[in-house]
Amino acid sequence: AAAAAQDGFVLHLLVFDPSLGFGPAATASREAGLERIGQLRARFVMQSAEALHKALAGRGYELLVYMGSTEDALQAVSSQCGISAVFCHGPEFCAEEQGVERKVISRWPTRLSSGWTL
């Protein structure tokens, strides 16, 4: 709502970032070298993404899904239609997520709202 009120146009983007455990190129956990996302959590994430897609569609919006780094996703969007601000949940708690957050904040105006991602 804050993004729409500020700029009038909102692009809903869901990024499955391999550095955070998503997809075939996902990196293993730092400490134990294990998968970050098991089968049950992966199913939950996919069901949640589908529910988000349906909820947005019910309000007349599209959900863009990007498989790759968050910075690459935002750069692709920026090159096509520009970015006046990135609205996202935060601040993050884990080191990997904080690293992604720092990269985004360093390149685009960013508004963090309290709450957490999956």
Side-chain angles (χ1 to χ4, degrees):
Q6 178 179 326
D7 299 311
F9 176 76
V10 176
L11 182 87
H12 302 274
L13 176 65
L14 175 62
V15 180
F16 290 106
D17 193 324
S19 73
L20 302 178
F22 295 99
T27 57
S29 67
R30 276 182 298 133
E31 292 83 13
L34 301 172
E35 287 183 336
R36 294 174 184 267
I37 299 176
Q39 286 183 344
L40 292 177
R41 186 166 189 210
R43 185 176 323 139
F44 169 75
V45 169
M46 295 308 294
Q47 290 169 342
S48 298
E50 184 178 335
L52 177 60
H53 168 73
K54 287 179 181 177
L56 288 170
R59 291 181 171 94
Y61 299 108
E62 286 290 324
L63 175 64
L64 294 179
V65 178
Y66 188 92
M67 177 65 83
S69 79
T70 302
E71 305 89 86
D72 289 348
L74 291 172
Q75 184 57 47
V77 168
S78 184
S79 69
Q80 293 297 310
C81 57
I83 293 177
S84 59
V86 174
F87 290 79
C88 56
H89 290 280
E92 295 291 351
F93 292 105
C94 299
E96 290 85 356
E97 289 88 348
Q98 288 173 346
V100 171
E101 190 175 80
R102 279 192 299 276
K103 289 177 187 177
V104 170
I105 289 170
S106 73
R107 293 187 65 185
W108 294 281
T110 305
R111 311 281 191 297
L112 300 176
S113 62
S114 69
W116 297 275
T117 58
L118 295 176

